[in-house]
């Protein structure tokens, strides 16, 4: 699902993809993180707001989890977008508005 995103925007930056258990622990990742199975990526696209990326993925691409991570309305290029793909996609569209606090839909962090 990352290639169609790349095709649309031209380039994406993957800040985190597969993580070993050691790396996942070091970055504070959950024990159930899809990064441990190579099913998730944290991405940004230079010059594009993460809110716009989140919305594009939600409306156009298959996904399991889509999370707008720590993005403030006055700084849409801050934070990142977490996206995952699995055999049975749940299509969970969430926002992380504070460490460990997730809400449904696209909501900006304070």
């Amino acid at each position: 699902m990352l290639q169609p995103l790349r095709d649309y925007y031209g380039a994406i930056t993957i800040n985190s993809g597969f993580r070993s258990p050691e790396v996942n622990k070091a970055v504070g990742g959950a024990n159930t993180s899809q990064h441990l199975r190579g099913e998730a990526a944290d991405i940004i696209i230079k010059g594009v707001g993460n809110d716009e990326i989140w919305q594009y993925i939600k409306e156009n691409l298959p996904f399991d989890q889509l999370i707008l991570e720590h993005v403030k309305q006055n700084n849409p290029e801050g934070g990142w977008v977490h996206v995952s793909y699995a055999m049975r996609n749940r299509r969970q569209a969430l926002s992380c508005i504070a460490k460990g606090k997730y809400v449904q839909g696209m909501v900006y962090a304070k």
Side-chain angles (χ1 to χ4, degrees), residues 24-71:
N24 192 60
K25 184 176 181 180
V27 299
N31 293 337
T32 58
S33 173
Q34 287 178 287
H35 287 282
L36 293 165
R37 297 186 303 276
E39 296 176 346
D42 296 336
I43 62 170
I44 60 170
I45 299 172
K46 187 173 173 82
V48 180
N50 289 308
D51 51 356
E52 179 182 329
I53 299 165
W54 186 95
Q55 195 66 43
Y56 180 81
I57 293 170
K58 184 174 184 286
E59 293 175 359
N60 297 285
L61 299 173
F63 62 89
D64 182 49
Q65 277 192 325
L66 175 62
I67 307 173
L68 188 68
E69 301 259 10
H70 308 285
V71 175

Side-chain angles (χ1 to χ4, degrees), residues 59-108:
E59 293 175 359
N60 297 285
L61 299 173
F63 62 89
D64 182 49
Q65 277 192 325
L66 175 62
I67 307 173
L68 188 68
E69 301 259 10
H70 308 285
V71 175
K72 297 180 180 180
Q73 190 167 13
N74 66 349
N75 185 17
E77 289 188 45
W80 63 92
V81 175
H82 167 96
V83 65
S84 67
Y85 186 89
M87 293 300 292
R88 294 187 181 186
N89 288 323
R90 299 169 285 176
R91 292 196 55 85
Q92 291 181 333
L94 309 166
S95 294
C96 180
I97 58 173
K99 184 164 176 62
K101 184 165 184 178
Y102 296 85
V103 295
Q104 291 285 336
M106 186 170 65
V107 178
Y108 295 100

